[in-house]
Amino acid sequence: MKQIYFLTPFPDVVNAVVSESILGRAEKKEFVKFYTKNLFDFSDPPHHRIDDYPFGGGAGMVLKPEPVFRAINEVVEELPAVSKPRVVFPTPDGHILTHEMAINLSKSDSIIFINGHYKGIDQRIRDELVTDEISIGDYVLTGGELPSLVILDAVIRLIPGVLNSYESAETDSFSHALLDCPHYTRPESYKGLESPSVLLSGNHKEIEDWKNNRRQEKTRDRRPDLWEKYKKIEDGKKSYE
Ligand code: ADE
């Protein structure tokens, strides 16, 4: 069973999400176990501060090293001695999250997310403890909880058995070189809006061709970067034929 820890000043935010939906189901099915550690529990009395002013000046506060080092020590003591936890720090200056990174993280038996709510965290935490600095996109959120949960969601759904077959991760956009195609379900006609008749034709070859054409069109329109990659892969295949 994977052990997932969140070090955060707002454990309620994390608990509200991980107890619901597919994450909650993954825990009930014992694929994962979630733990939250409140960073304030690792701060020093009497003021219990977890942030402080930046050396050298500048706007915003910085997450102090002591609460994070102490919390990580406690987590490491709770984990089996053989466990080599990945320590993830979500940050806008990290590497952009990709499907490959999610696959890679899904292979780890323990992950610790460090969630800051400040201008930044003390660099010594990043230098000494963090193994993965990950951004979920080129925009800035107010804290690390939501990006951690985004990363976690992308990872947990890849664990074999977590998704039902109808939710299968295999045909997602990004598990292929192309974006996903449009999907339709009953009713066949809704308020005069028709489903493509080819999908109801029973002709598997035509259905596959239709899906593939839609995937190609969407990828070409929306993601020229992925389209270029796809064309290179296809050209490579052709040169072996
Ligand atoms: N924290 C704040 N903004 C973020 C982002 N875009 N990605 C990851 N962590 C963040």
Side-chain angles (χ1 to χ4, degrees):
M1 189 168 25
K2 263 188 219 320
Q3 318 281 317
I4 311 288
Y5 283 84
F6 293 87
L7 316 185
T8 167
F10 297 106
D12 291 349
V13 175
V14 173
N15 288 330
V17 176
V18 297
S19 58
E20 296 289 336
S21 177
I22 289 174
L23 295 182
R25 199 171 77 196
E27 184 166 44
K28 277 196 201 92
K29 287 197 199 165
E30 300 192 345
F31 288 111
V32 278
K33 181 103 186 78
F34 301 119
Y35 306 86
T36 46
K37 300 268 180 200
N38 189 331
L39 284 171
F40 286 103
D41 294 343
F42 299 88
S43 59
D44 286 315
H47 299 299
H48 291 285
R49 290 190 69 148
I50 62 169
D51 62 338
D52 213 330
Y53 293 97
F55 287 146
M61 303 297 270
V62 175
L63 185 63
K64 289 164 65 60
E66 310 93 307
V68 180
F69 273 79
R70 288 173 192 152
I72 295 249
N73 269 346
E74 188 171 291
V75 172
V76 168
E77 275 169 22
E78 286 173 17
L79 287 171
V82 288
S83 186
K84 283 223 161 30
R86 297 280 284 272
V87 180
V88 176
F89 175 52
T91 173
D93 61 2
H95 301 279
I96 297 271
L97 180 64
T98 62
H99 189 63
E100 284 69 32
M101 282 157 84
I103 292 173
N104 184 273
L105 277 172
S106 77
K107 293 181 181 147
S108 174
D109 61 2
S110 54
I111 307 175
I112 306 171
F113 289 97
I114 300 177
N115 297 159
H117 261 263
Y118 308 92
K119 180 71 192 158
I121 65 173
D122 190 286
Q123 183 60 33
R124 290 164 290 189
I125 301 169
R126 296 171 77 152
D127 292 344
E128 298 296 316
L129 301 174
V130 171
T131 59
D132 299 81
E133 301 189 341
I134 303 178
S135 165
I136 63 161
D138 287 341
Y139 45 85
V140 181
L141 302 172
T142 53
E145 285 76 15
L146 294 176
S148 291
L149 290 165
V150 167
I151 299 164
L152 182 69
D153 193 281
V155 168
I156 296 296
R157 63 193 293 285
L158 297 174
I159 303 171
V162 165
L163 295 186
N164 295 325
S165 59
Y166 66 83
E167 297 157 340
S168 166
E170 276 158 31
T171 56
D172 291 339
S173 297
F174 304 115
S175 58
H176 287 269
L178 294 173
L179 299 180
D180 201 4
C181 64
H183 300 278
Y184 295 84
T185 186
R186 276 182 289 227
E188 197 176 319
S189 168
Y190 179 66
K191 295 187 173 172
L193 304 169
E194 304 296 332
S195 308
S197 55
V198 59
L199 298 179
L200 298 142
S201 67
N203 183 327
H204 297 300
K205 164 90 176 69
E206 279 183 17
I207 292 172
E208 275 320 300
D209 284 349
W210 182 90
K211 288 185 176 175
N212 206 33
N213 288 338
R214 298 295 85 68
R215 298 176 73 130
Q216 291 192 9
E217 276 168 15
K218 195 189 279 187
T219 310
R220 204 172 46 222
D221 286 354
R222 297 187 177 173
R223 294 292 303 271
D225 56 326
L226 291 181
W227 179 243
E228 286 307 315
K229 248 199 224 165
Y230 171 75
K231 280 198 304 190
K232 272 202 193 111
I233 296 169
E234 291 300 300
D235 288 349
K237 277 189 202 159
K238 274 190 204 121
S239 62
Y240 280 103
E241 276 169 11

